[in-house]
Amino acid sequence: MISAPFPQGSNAERSRMTNRQAVLGHIKSQGAMGRAQLARALGLSTQAISNIIAELTAEGLLVETGTQVSGRGLPAVQYGVNPKGGYALGVEVRPAAVFTALLDLSGEPVITRRRALDDPTPSAVLGIVGTMRDAMLAKTGVDPGLLMGAGVVMPGPFGQTGLAGHSADLPGWQTVAPEVLFETALGLPIELSNDANAAAMAERIGGVARAVHSYAYLYFGTGLGLGLVSAGQLVTGAFGNAGEIGHIPVTTKTGPAPLESCLSRVSVQAHLAASGRHAPDVAALDALHRAGDAALRDWIAEAAAALGQALHIIENLFDPQTVILGGAMPAALLDDLIAATTPPAGSVSARDDNPLPRLMRGASGRMTATIGAASLILNRAYSPRAAAL
Amino acid sequence: MISAPFPQGSNAERSRMTNRQAVLGHIKSQGAMGRAQLARALGLSTQAISNIIAELTAEGLLVETGTQVSGRGLPAVQYGVNPKGGYALGVEVRPAAVFTALLDLSGEPVITRRRALDDPTPSAVLGIVGTMRDAMLAKTGVDPGLLMGAGVVMPGPFGQTGLAGHSADLPGWQTVAPEVLFETALGLPIELSNDANAAAMAERIGGVARAVHSYAYLYFGTGLGLGLVSAGQLVTGAFGNAGEIGHIPVTTKTGPAPLESCLSRVSVQAHLAASGRHAPDVAALDALHRAGDAALRDWIAEAAAALGQALHIIENLFDPQTVILGGAMPAALLDDLIAATTPPAGSVSARDDNPLPRLMRGASGRMTATIGAASLILNRAYSPRAAAL
DNA sequence: TTGATAGCTCAAGTGGTTTGAGTTAATATC
DNA sequence: GATATTAACTCAAACCACTTGAGCTATCAA
């Protein structure tokens, strides 16, 4: 996931590859369309598009979805993405559990699984993941040959950094390259990422950002993560650890504090515990929220203040089309948090010619990052640049 | 400068274009080399490289720089960028003056000019810029046909945003697209950008970031700007206004304040004025600094504290290879500021496997942004992706 | 009914890269 | 000192994918 320092050259075969991806990606984000329209959008001849579509339909990635009459002329034969044309495996490894998901080509989860983890060492995890994959394939009857790859989310940051505690979460993984381990164990192409980046890509592939090319994603995981997407691609930084927003300071009623201390699952739980409440998981939080709990309302108000400050920084530094909130939180709670947040006025995003809201809610719940992991693989089929790196 | 939402398809001619740029860019950042080495680096055949080099030398963009013996085998004929093979015009429009620069293909300024501006309306500015270009070409004897384009830096942010005051700096420019005006007036391809992004690109083309592909650039202009470069390309945001770092809050001895109020030319001047000093320009500041002025030392200490906080945010959000400081400040002052700054410990950049320092000084002085403007044009010759957008 | 228009296919042409054989100049080995 | 090995490079032919131009078809407009 480290950005390639130097670009590769291009030849006829690589051109075909990028054109295939451009066709698929355009249809994915814009919906089914005909050859001529694709040709205009991509700056290619209709004949070239015809050849590519013939190839993609033969492989089952595209399907005819009918014809579209628009004024004079021959009606255009429409082609759309065939959801059953390919699948991606998503794997999320946490200290105490492994989550897996199988996504179809359209980005829809076909099946998801959770397995408790007693032994988080590489060999045990790889064995469990292999078993879970086989079980999911068997249960759904998906042809293993249609698996395009596996996205893997693990606790970051990766490599050595100044942020302590994280990489120690999974014992035995420090000395090895997880990508290589998973690739040999699963026999599939691997994308390795942190939870926030994966969740951000989930929105682009199967969520609210399907037609958005530049956005930021605030992910509620253990802490708070930021995923940045620019021109449809993740901005991962030089060493793959971009988006560590949790430790940046915000001002609170009691002085400066790390953003994560006001805006994260841990902070909700701490706040509730101070009032004698207990909400260990998403479902419990949701129940408390539906009951209109006062302490939770309190937390939302304080979190909204912190979110406003984070929004200020994110917007002024990136100028995204929108900022999406998601992760392991109840959807309704995120909606309330967004409603309670006043977007900062002194921001480049305080414009009125942007059709998108400045804050949106994306996918939420336990599986967000797992689905995102699989989305990283799907993104390679849809984006010429992702494959080039 | 707004990122293209959809990629274009590729064909044989576009492949040649990207391969030409890849060859030039690789030689630019890595130094002169032979055909075989280029072929390996770019994943092309030596024959393809031979054809491209033949074309580029015929056009004067590359020149033979000798042969390199390395072990057995035929010595490799080295090719390097020919500085005289092309030129780029840089234009910086400020409320009271216009700056121009002529850069050769290697990124070196050949000549720079400054002209006071009485009337900052479009027609007056365009006339002056045309005259300045002609004068620079005449003075240096550069063939006008070798001009590859003009980069233009103007006060931003562009379009409507929530940041007041900026776009009003130049009367008469609000209703028109500056790119179109400059293109018709100069008859050249135009790149329009803000000062920070331009300065950031200057470091990549002719400065300390020639071999760095992912970095942030803090620009001291009127306020404080941030230029972000990821995988060799500017991250401009969805609406072109990314990098507005000046308004994000930092904590100071007297409470929260905008970064710009501690870390900018205006803040130096305000601080000095409070002690009865006066340093209206870079030269005066430099003199004061060399004299060891106590008030200036004071400012440096406070600015360093603010810079440390900004660094924390930038590093954790982007994970760049390095952060470069530059702009309209004396070089020695920037060096002292860097020396006085303690890089934050709780940052993903606090790693010890990065050969680059976390803070570096880039080009400084009045012409930084102007030279950067021209660099935006040169970058298009060196970077396959820049031209694709 | 006729003409205009737009989507699409077929076949030939074209641009640029790859492939494979051959040449040259350097080091390594006998 | 002669020969083998190695690596860079060139030439010509093959190849891949896209473009071009002619022709077909289905729809709307006159």
PDB file of all heavy atoms in Angstrom, chain A residues 33-63:
ATOM      1  N   MET A  33     -24.642   1.512 -19.505  1.00  0.00           N
ATOM      2  CA  MET A  33     -24.688   2.392 -20.676  1.00  0.00           C
ATOM      3  C   MET A  33     -24.235   1.646 -21.918  1.00  0.00           C
ATOM      4  O   MET A  33     -23.826   0.488 -21.851  1.00  0.00           O
ATOM      5  CB  MET A  33     -23.843   3.634 -20.447  1.00  0.00           C
ATOM      6  CG  MET A  33     -22.368   3.389 -20.267  1.00  0.00           C
ATOM      7  SD  MET A  33     -21.486   4.917 -19.920  1.00  0.00           S
ATOM      8  CE  MET A  33     -21.970   5.215 -18.236  1.00  0.00           C
ATOM      9  N   GLY A  34     -24.333   2.313 -23.044  1.00  0.00           N
ATOM     10  CA  GLY A  34     -24.001   1.686 -24.322  1.00  0.00           C
ATOM     11  C   GLY A  34     -22.590   1.983 -24.774  1.00  0.00           C
ATOM     12  O   GLY A  34     -21.857   2.752 -24.145  1.00  0.00           O
ATOM     13  N   ARG A  35     -22.207   1.346 -25.871  1.00  0.00           N
ATOM     14  CA  ARG A  35     -20.843   1.473 -26.372  1.00  0.00           C
ATOM     15  C   ARG A  35     -20.478   2.906 -26.736  1.00  0.00           C
ATOM     16  O   ARG A  35     -19.412   3.402 -26.373  1.00  0.00           O
ATOM     17  CB  ARG A  35     -20.678   0.590 -27.617  1.00  0.00           C
ATOM     18  CG  ARG A  35     -20.800  -0.887 -27.344  1.00  0.00           C
ATOM     19  CD  ARG A  35     -20.878  -1.641 -28.670  1.00  0.00           C
ATOM     20  NE  ARG A  35     -20.780  -3.087 -28.491  1.00  0.00           N
ATOM     21  CZ  ARG A  35     -21.770  -3.848 -28.118  1.00  0.00           C
ATOM     22  NH1 ARG A  35     -22.961  -3.321 -27.879  1.00  0.00           N
ATOM     23  NH2 ARG A  35     -21.595  -5.154 -27.981  1.00  0.00           N
ATOM     24  N   ALA A  36     -21.369   3.563 -27.461  1.00  0.00           N
ATOM     25  CA  ALA A  36     -21.044   4.905 -27.954  1.00  0.00           C
ATOM     26  C   ALA A  36     -20.816   5.879 -26.799  1.00  0.00           C
ATOM     27  O   ALA A  36     -19.883   6.687 -26.825  1.00  0.00           O
ATOM     28  CB  ALA A  36     -22.158   5.411 -28.866  1.00  0.00           C
ATOM     29  N   GLN A  37     -21.664   5.772 -25.791  1.00  0.00           N
ATOM     30  CA  GLN A  37     -21.538   6.676 -24.650  1.00  0.00           C
ATOM     31  C   GLN A  37     -20.213   6.439 -23.922  1.00  0.00           C
ATOM     32  O   GLN A  37     -19.526   7.391 -23.524  1.00  0.00           O
ATOM     33  CB  GLN A  37     -22.718   6.454 -23.710  1.00  0.00           C
ATOM     34  CG  GLN A  37     -22.865   7.534 -22.646  1.00  0.00           C
ATOM     35  CD  GLN A  37     -24.041   7.267 -21.710  1.00  0.00           C
ATOM     36  OE1 GLN A  37     -24.900   6.429 -22.014  1.00  0.00           O
ATOM     37  NE2 GLN A  37     -24.070   7.973 -20.593  1.00  0.00           N
ATOM     38  N   LEU A  38     -19.863   5.168 -23.762  1.00  0.00           N
ATOM     39  CA  LEU A  38     -18.585   4.829 -23.144  1.00  0.00           C
ATOM     40  C   LEU A  38     -17.426   5.383 -23.966  1.00  0.00           C
ATOM     41  O   LEU A  38     -16.467   5.927 -23.419  1.00  0.00           O
ATOM     42  CB  LEU A  38     -18.450   3.312 -23.023  1.00  0.00           C
ATOM     43  CG  LEU A  38     -19.068   2.678 -21.788  1.00  0.00           C
ATOM     44  CD1 LEU A  38     -19.175   1.179 -21.969  1.00  0.00           C
ATOM     45  CD2 LEU A  38     -18.245   3.008 -20.554  1.00  0.00           C
ATOM     46  N   ALA A  39     -17.535   5.230 -25.275  1.00  0.00           N
ATOM     47  CA  ALA A  39     -16.460   5.687 -26.146  1.00  0.00           C
ATOM     48  C   ALA A  39     -16.240   7.191 -25.979  1.00  0.00           C
ATOM     49  O   ALA A  39     -15.098   7.656 -25.867  1.00  0.00           O
ATOM     50  CB  ALA A  39     -16.796   5.355 -27.596  1.00  0.00           C
ATOM     51  N   ARG A  40     -17.330   7.940 -25.928  1.00  0.00           N
ATOM     52  CA  ARG A  40     -17.203   9.392 -25.732  1.00  0.00           C
ATOM     53  C   ARG A  40     -16.583   9.711 -24.378  1.00  0.00           C
ATOM     54  O   ARG A  40     -15.704  10.573 -24.263  1.00  0.00           O
ATOM     55  CB  ARG A  40     -18.580  10.047 -25.862  1.00  0.00           C
ATOM     56  CG  ARG A  40     -19.070  10.172 -27.284  1.00  0.00           C
ATOM     57  CD  ARG A  40     -20.330  11.027 -27.337  1.00  0.00           C
ATOM     58  NE  ARG A  40     -21.432  10.424 -26.593  1.00  0.00           N
ATOM     59  CZ  ARG A  40     -22.374   9.670 -27.118  1.00  0.00           C
ATOM     60  NH1 ARG A  40     -22.355   9.388 -28.412  1.00  0.00           N
ATOM     61  NH2 ARG A  40     -23.346   9.181 -26.371  1.00  0.00           N
ATOM     62  N   ALA A  41     -17.026   9.006 -23.335  1.00  0.00           N
ATOM     63  CA  ALA A  41     -16.551   9.310 -21.985  1.00  0.00           C
ATOM     64  C   ALA A  41     -15.062   9.010 -21.832  1.00  0.00           C
ATOM     65  O   ALA A  41     -14.345   9.734 -21.141  1.00  0.00           O
ATOM     66  CB  ALA A  41     -17.353   8.529 -20.956  1.00  0.00           C
ATOM     67  N   LEU A  42     -14.603   7.958 -22.461  1.00  0.00           N
ATOM     68  CA  LEU A  42     -13.220   7.520 -22.256  1.00  0.00           C
ATOM     69  C   LEU A  42     -12.277   7.986 -23.360  1.00  0.00           C
ATOM     70  O   LEU A  42     -11.081   7.712 -23.304  1.00  0.00           O
ATOM     71  CB  LEU A  42     -13.170   5.995 -22.128  1.00  0.00           C
ATOM     72  CG  LEU A  42     -14.034   5.396 -21.014  1.00  0.00           C
ATOM     73  CD1 LEU A  42     -13.872   3.894 -20.957  1.00  0.00           C
ATOM     74  CD2 LEU A  42     -13.679   6.018 -19.666  1.00  0.00           C
ATOM     75  N   GLY A  43     -12.819   8.649 -24.372  1.00  0.00           N
ATOM     76  CA  GLY A  43     -11.964   9.130 -25.442  1.00  0.00           C
ATOM     77  C   GLY A  43     -11.419   8.013 -26.311  1.00  0.00           C
ATOM     78  O   GLY A  43     -10.300   8.087 -26.798  1.00  0.00           O
ATOM     79  N   LEU A  44     -12.212   6.970 -26.496  1.00  0.00           N
ATOM     80  CA  LEU A  44     -11.803   5.858 -27.361  1.00  0.00           C
ATOM     81  C   LEU A  44     -12.817   5.715 -28.503  1.00  0.00           C
ATOM     82  O   LEU A  44     -13.907   6.287 -28.452  1.00  0.00           O
ATOM     83  CB  LEU A  44     -11.750   4.558 -26.559  1.00  0.00           C
ATOM     84  CG  LEU A  44     -10.706   4.493 -25.444  1.00  0.00           C
ATOM     85  CD1 LEU A  44     -10.890   3.233 -24.616  1.00  0.00           C
ATOM     86  CD2 LEU A  44      -9.304   4.536 -26.013  1.00  0.00           C
ATOM     87  N   SER A  45     -12.462   4.930 -29.513  1.00  0.00           N
ATOM     88  CA  SER A  45     -13.391   4.689 -30.612  1.00  0.00           C
ATOM     89  C   SER A  45     -14.438   3.658 -30.170  1.00  0.00           C
ATOM     90  O   SER A  45     -14.196   2.861 -29.268  1.00  0.00           O
ATOM     91  CB  SER A  45     -12.639   4.168 -31.827  1.00  0.00           C
ATOM     92  OG  SER A  45     -12.043   2.925 -31.536  1.00  0.00           O
ATOM     93  N   THR A  46     -15.604   3.707 -30.813  1.00  0.00           N
ATOM     94  CA  THR A  46     -16.641   2.732 -30.443  1.00  0.00           C
ATOM     95  C   THR A  46     -16.169   1.312 -30.755  1.00  0.00           C
ATOM     96  O   THR A  46     -16.553   0.371 -30.069  1.00  0.00           O
ATOM     97  CB  THR A  46     -17.951   2.987 -31.202  1.00  0.00           C
ATOM     98  OG1 THR A  46     -17.674   3.021 -32.589  1.00  0.00           O
ATOM     99  CG2 THR A  46     -18.573   4.298 -30.773  1.00  0.00           C
ATOM    100  N   GLN A  47     -15.350   1.197 -31.769  1.00  0.00           N
ATOM    101  CA  GLN A  47     -14.849  -0.132 -32.113  1.00  0.00           C
ATOM    102  C   GLN A  47     -13.996  -0.696 -30.970  1.00  0.00           C
ATOM    103  O   GLN A  47     -14.118  -1.870 -30.612  1.00  0.00           O
ATOM    104  CB  GLN A  47     -14.035  -0.082 -33.400  1.00  0.00           C
ATOM    105  CG  GLN A  47     -13.570  -1.429 -33.873  1.00  0.00           C
ATOM    106  CD  GLN A  47     -14.728  -2.393 -34.057  1.00  0.00           C
ATOM    107  OE1 GLN A  47     -15.697  -2.094 -34.735  1.00  0.00           O
ATOM    108  NE2 GLN A  47     -14.630  -3.560 -33.437  1.00  0.00           N
ATOM    109  N   ALA A  48     -13.152   0.147 -30.412  1.00  0.00           N
ATOM    110  CA  ALA A  48     -12.327  -0.299 -29.292  1.00  0.00           C
ATOM    111  C   ALA A  48     -13.211  -0.738 -28.133  1.00  0.00           C
ATOM    112  O   ALA A  48     -12.990  -1.797 -27.534  1.00  0.00           O
ATOM    113  CB  ALA A  48     -11.386   0.825 -28.846  1.00  0.00           C
ATOM    114  N   ILE A  49     -14.232   0.055 -27.845  1.00  0.00           N
ATOM    115  CA  ILE A  49     -15.148  -0.288 -26.756  1.00  0.00           C
ATOM    116  C   ILE A  49     -15.851  -1.609 -27.076  1.00  0.00           C
ATOM    117  O   ILE A  49     -16.028  -2.457 -26.202  1.00  0.00           O
ATOM    118  CB  ILE A  49     -16.180   0.838 -26.555  1.00  0.00           C
ATOM    119  CG1 ILE A  49     -15.467   2.138 -26.169  1.00  0.00           C
ATOM    120  CG2 ILE A  49     -17.195   0.449 -25.486  1.00  0.00           C
ATOM    121  CD1 ILE A  49     -14.820   2.129 -24.823  1.00  0.00           C
ATOM    122  N   SER A  50     -16.240  -1.785 -28.332  1.00  0.00           N
ATOM    123  CA  SER A  50     -16.886  -3.036 -28.732  1.00  0.00           C
ATOM    124  C   SER A  50     -16.004  -4.237 -28.424  1.00  0.00           C
ATOM    125  O   SER A  50     -16.470  -5.236 -27.869  1.00  0.00           O
ATOM    126  CB  SER A  50     -17.197  -3.010 -30.232  1.00  0.00           C
ATOM    127  OG  SER A  50     -18.475  -2.488 -30.457  1.00  0.00           O
ATOM    128  N   ASN A  51     -14.747  -4.125 -28.785  1.00  0.00           N
ATOM    129  CA  ASN A  51     -13.827  -5.231 -28.540  1.00  0.00           C
ATOM    130  C   ASN A  51     -13.707  -5.519 -27.040  1.00  0.00           C
ATOM    131  O   ASN A  51     -13.734  -6.672 -26.621  1.00  0.00           O
ATOM    132  CB  ASN A  51     -12.445  -4.901 -29.099  1.00  0.00           C
ATOM    133  CG  ASN A  51     -12.467  -4.740 -30.613  1.00  0.00           C
ATOM    134  OD1 ASN A  51     -13.374  -5.237 -31.281  1.00  0.00           O
ATOM    135  ND2 ASN A  51     -11.503  -4.028 -31.148  1.00  0.00           N
ATOM    136  N   ILE A  52     -13.590  -4.447 -26.273  1.00  0.00           N
ATOM    137  CA  ILE A  52     -13.424  -4.620 -24.823  1.00  0.00           C
ATOM    138  C   ILE A  52     -14.682  -5.209 -24.202  1.00  0.00           C
ATOM    139  O   ILE A  52     -14.623  -6.111 -23.366  1.00  0.00           O
ATOM    140  CB  ILE A  52     -13.055  -3.270 -24.167  1.00  0.00           C
ATOM    141  CG1 ILE A  52     -11.653  -2.854 -24.602  1.00  0.00           C
ATOM    142  CG2 ILE A  52     -13.141  -3.356 -22.650  1.00  0.00           C
ATOM    143  CD1 ILE A  52     -11.319  -1.407 -24.333  1.00  0.00           C
ATOM    144  N   ILE A  53     -15.837  -4.712 -24.641  1.00  0.00           N
ATOM    145  CA  ILE A  53     -17.095  -5.234 -24.097  1.00  0.00           C
ATOM    146  C   ILE A  53     -17.273  -6.707 -24.463  1.00  0.00           C
ATOM    147  O   ILE A  53     -17.729  -7.518 -23.642  1.00  0.00           O
ATOM    148  CB  ILE A  53     -18.286  -4.381 -24.591  1.00  0.00           C
ATOM    149  CG1 ILE A  53     -18.322  -3.066 -23.805  1.00  0.00           C
ATOM    150  CG2 ILE A  53     -19.603  -5.133 -24.426  1.00  0.00           C
ATOM    151  CD1 ILE A  53     -19.510  -2.196 -24.113  1.00  0.00           C
ATOM    152  N   ALA A  54     -16.876  -7.054 -25.680  1.00  0.00           N
ATOM    153  CA  ALA A  54     -16.963  -8.467 -26.081  1.00  0.00           C
ATOM    154  C   ALA A  54     -16.141  -9.328 -25.136  1.00  0.00           C
ATOM    155  O   ALA A  54     -16.573 -10.392 -24.692  1.00  0.00           O
ATOM    156  CB  ALA A  54     -16.482  -8.632 -27.519  1.00  0.00           C
ATOM    157  N   GLU A  55     -14.950  -8.840 -24.813  1.00  0.00           N
ATOM    158  CA  GLU A  55     -14.069  -9.579 -23.919  1.00  0.00           C
ATOM    159  C   GLU A  55     -14.676  -9.676 -22.518  1.00  0.00           C
ATOM    160  O   GLU A  55     -14.711 -10.758 -21.912  1.00  0.00           O
ATOM    161  CB  GLU A  55     -12.724  -8.849 -23.862  1.00  0.00           C
ATOM    162  CG  GLU A  55     -11.572  -9.673 -23.360  1.00  0.00           C
ATOM    163  CD  GLU A  55     -10.267  -8.883 -23.452  1.00  0.00           C
ATOM    164  OE1 GLU A  55      -9.705  -8.799 -24.560  1.00  0.00           O
ATOM    165  OE2 GLU A  55      -9.818  -8.343 -22.414  1.00  0.00           O
ATOM    166  N   LEU A  56     -15.178  -8.541 -22.013  1.00  0.00           N
ATOM    167  CA  LEU A  56     -15.702  -8.506 -20.646  1.00  0.00           C
ATOM    168  C   LEU A  56     -16.982  -9.334 -20.510  1.00  0.00           C
ATOM    169  O   LEU A  56     -17.210  -9.961 -19.474  1.00  0.00           O
ATOM    170  CB  LEU A  56     -15.953  -7.061 -20.204  1.00  0.00           C
ATOM    171  CG  LEU A  56     -14.692  -6.207 -19.994  1.00  0.00           C
ATOM    172  CD1 LEU A  56     -15.064  -4.754 -19.744  1.00  0.00           C
ATOM    173  CD2 LEU A  56     -13.863  -6.745 -18.844  1.00  0.00           C
ATOM    174  N   THR A  57     -17.826  -9.336 -21.528  1.00  0.00           N
ATOM    175  CA  THR A  57     -19.041 -10.161 -21.451  1.00  0.00           C
ATOM    176  C   THR A  57     -18.674 -11.641 -21.544  1.00  0.00           C
ATOM    177  O   THR A  57     -19.258 -12.476 -20.846  1.00  0.00           O
ATOM    178  CB  THR A  57     -20.032  -9.798 -22.563  1.00  0.00           C
ATOM    179  OG1 THR A  57     -19.346  -9.744 -23.806  1.00  0.00           O
ATOM    180  CG2 THR A  57     -20.687  -8.459 -22.308  1.00  0.00           C
ATOM    181  N   ALA A  58     -17.690 -11.961 -22.390  1.00  0.00           N
ATOM    182  CA  ALA A  58     -17.253 -13.349 -22.485  1.00  0.00           C
ATOM    183  C   ALA A  58     -16.735 -13.850 -21.140  1.00  0.00           C
ATOM    184  O   ALA A  58     -16.922 -15.016 -20.787  1.00  0.00           O
ATOM    185  CB  ALA A  58     -16.174 -13.490 -23.557  1.00  0.00           C
ATOM    186  N   GLU A  59     -16.088 -12.951 -20.389  1.00  0.00           N
ATOM    187  CA  GLU A  59     -15.570 -13.333 -19.075  1.00  0.00           C
ATOM    188  C   GLU A  59     -16.635 -13.255 -17.992  1.00  0.00           C
ATOM    189  O   GLU A  59     -16.379 -13.586 -16.833  1.00  0.00           O
ATOM    190  CB  GLU A  59     -14.399 -12.416 -18.691  1.00  0.00           C
ATOM    191  CG  GLU A  59     -13.187 -12.595 -19.583  1.00  0.00           C
ATOM    192  CD  GLU A  59     -12.121 -11.557 -19.286  1.00  0.00           C
ATOM    193  OE1 GLU A  59     -12.137 -10.976 -18.193  1.00  0.00           O
ATOM    194  OE2 GLU A  59     -11.275 -11.323 -20.178  1.00  0.00           O
ATOM    195  N   GLY A  60     -17.809 -12.760 -18.350  1.00  0.00           N
ATOM    196  CA  GLY A  60     -18.893 -12.693 -17.380  1.00  0.00           C
ATOM    197  C   GLY A  60     -18.872 -11.481 -16.477  1.00  0.00           C
ATOM    198  O   GLY A  60     -19.649 -11.402 -15.523  1.00  0.00           O
ATOM    199  N   LEU A  61     -17.988 -10.520 -16.755  1.00  0.00           N
ATOM    200  CA  LEU A  61     -17.916  -9.335 -15.892  1.00  0.00           C
ATOM    201  C   LEU A  61     -18.992  -8.312 -16.237  1.00  0.00           C
ATOM    202  O   LEU A  61     -19.422  -7.531 -15.392  1.00  0.00           O
ATOM    203  CB  LEU A  61     -16.530  -8.697 -15.988  1.00  0.00           C
ATOM    204  CG  LEU A  61     -15.373  -9.604 -15.555  1.00  0.00           C
ATOM    205  CD1 LEU A  61     -14.036  -8.906 -15.760  1.00  0.00           C
ATOM    206  CD2 LEU A  61     -15.528  -9.999 -14.092  1.00  0.00           C
ATOM    207  N   LEU A  62     -19.408  -8.308 -17.494  1.00  0.00           N
ATOM    208  CA  LEU A  62     -20.477  -7.407 -17.925  1.00  0.00           C
ATOM    209  C   LEU A  62     -21.646  -8.238 -18.438  1.00  0.00           C
ATOM    210  O   LEU A  62     -21.464  -9.343 -18.935  1.00  0.00           O
ATOM    211  CB  LEU A  62     -19.997  -6.475 -19.049  1.00  0.00           C
ATOM    212  CG  LEU A  62     -19.093  -5.303 -18.695  1.00  0.00           C
ATOM    213  CD1 LEU A  62     -18.795  -4.475 -19.943  1.00  0.00           C
ATOM    214  CD2 LEU A  62     -19.718  -4.429 -17.616  1.00  0.00           C
ATOM    215  N   VAL A  63     -22.857  -7.677 -18.324  1.00  0.00           N
ATOM    216  CA  VAL A  63     -24.040  -8.299 -18.921  1.00  0.00           C
ATOM    217  C   VAL A  63     -24.887  -7.240 -19.615  1.00  0.00           C
ATOM    218  O   VAL A  63     -24.902  -6.074 -19.206  1.00  0.00           O
ATOM    219  CB  VAL A  63     -24.932  -9.015 -17.873  1.00  0.00           C
ATOM    220  CG1 VAL A  63     -24.344 -10.351 -17.479  1.00  0.00           C
ATOM    221  CG2 VAL A  63     -25.146  -8.141 -16.661  1.00  0.00           C
TER     222      VAL A  63
END
